[in-house]
Amino acid sequence: MSKMTVDNMVISTQLSECVSFSKIHTSSYNLCYEPELFFAALLSSWSPVHVAIFHNSKVIVTGLKSHLQVETILDHLIDYVHTQQIVK
């Protein structure tokens, strides 16, 4: 067997506060919310990592390459949702 590498990690977590999508008025470069196409807000600030934030405050992060990325992105995500006032 050849050497194995991690190419993609997926993390699932829950925000401690409720998400309020009514506060998302327009899609921006970093945040896209189009409920007719997909029922989660998509955050793509960290290419190739993508974050999906659902109405029930569940968060799915895909495209991660390392555990260090997990901590960094989740810390930034918490700051982002508070700055954008997406949480109640």
Side-chain angles (χ1 to χ4, degrees):
M1 212 189 247
S2 63
K3 182 180 175 184
M4 292 192 292
T5 60
V6 174
D7 291 325
N8 184 21
M9 292 189 313
V10 177
I11 301 297
S12 172
T13 189
Q14 185 84 28
L15 294 174
S16 59
E17 298 171 278
C18 295
V19 174
S20 176
F21 286 152
S22 64
K23 294 183 179 182
I24 303 173
H25 300 292
T26 59
S27 294
S28 68
Y29 174 74
N30 293 332
L31 182 66
C32 178
Y33 178 57
E34 297 181 29
E36 302 84 23
L37 299 176
F38 189 65
F39 49 88
L42 302 175
L43 185 59
S44 57
S45 297
W46 309 280
S47 186
V49 175
H50 291 280
V51 178
I53 306 169
F54 294 87
H55 287 275
N56 62 357
S57 300
K58 187 165 186 159
V59 176
I60 306 291
V61 185
T62 60
L64 295 160
K65 302 291 182 189
S66 70
H67 291 283
L68 179 60
Q69 261 188 325
V70 173
E71 293 175 23
T72 302
I73 288 175
L74 290 179
D75 287 342
H76 286 287
L77 173 64
I78 298 302
D79 290 341
Y80 184 85
V81 297
H82 284 99
T83 302
Q84 297 298 312
Q85 299 177 345
I86 298 170
V87 291
K88 297 177 187 176

